[in-house]
Amino acid sequence: QWRLGPAPIYSRHSGKSLDIYGISVANGAQLIQWDYWGGGNQRFRLDPVGDGYYRILVEHSGKCLDVEGISTANGARIIQWDYWGGDNQRFKPERTSDGFYRLVAKHSGKCLDVSGISADNGAGVIQWDWWGGNNQQWRL
């Protein structure tokens, strides 16, 4: 196990960073992608929680990434929420290729995914079945 961060996490397909929308510190604020500008809402720390899984903490809010509503459905939004230890807040980094990783939610087995393969600022991050797209791969 290792600990990483706080540091940006970049999408392979767009080169943009994960970002908490509007620099919000509220529970339920959505995870999006955005051009990296160095804000604390774009820096994340991976802390081991056992069995190869990590909680992903957001530097500016101290909250962690969370699959909204503990959903197991494709398209469920990724948000920030106070850490309470649920499996929807545990992600396993699995190496894909060339230094990139997929981030797999423990409760669903689905991966973080930029919705619609969008390269736009503000595109939402969701969970989706792994299909190998560059929008599902991240540089940690």
Side-chain angles (χ1 to χ4, degrees), residues 5 13 17 27 31 46-47 57-58 73 83 101 112-113 124-125 127:
H13 87 289
S17 172
N27 279 332
L31 184 67
L46 277 70
D47 286 340
L57 294 169
V58 187
Y83 183 71
Y101 293 82
L112 264 61
D113 176 299
V125 178
Q127 72 173 2

Side-chain angles (χ1 to χ4, degrees), residues 101-120:
Y101 293 82
R102 63 182 180 166
L103 295 170
V104 182
K106 183 173 185 179
H107 78 294
S108 66
K110 298 180 188 302
C111 302
L112 264 61
D113 176 299
V114 177
S115 183
I117 318 174
S118 175
D120 295 338

Side-chain angles (χ1 to χ4, degrees), residues 23-56:
I23 318 173
S24 176
V25 296
N27 279 332
Q30 186 172 8
L31 184 67
I32 62 172
Q33 69 174 4
W34 199 270
D35 292 323
Y36 185 70
W37 60 274
N41 66 316
Q42 295 184 316
R43 289 195 301 269
F44 302 86
R45 188 178 82 222
L46 277 70
D47 286 340
V49 292
D51 296 326
Y53 287 91
Y54 294 78
R55 65 180 179 169
I56 303 175

Side-chain angles (χ1 to χ4, degrees), residues 55-97:
R55 65 180 179 169
I56 303 175
L57 294 169
V58 187
E59 183 182 52
H60 84 293
S61 67
K63 298 182 187 302
C64 70
L65 298 188
D66 177 296
V67 179
E68 189 172 37
I70 317 174
S71 175
T72 58
N74 279 334
R77 295 185 331 150
I78 309 301
I79 59 172
Q80 71 175 2
W81 201 268
D82 293 321
Y83 183 71
W84 60 276
D87 285 347
N88 66 314
Q89 297 183 322
R90 297 170 185 244
F91 298 89
K92 181 179 280 188
E94 295 179 344
R95 189 172 175 81
T96 59
S97 64

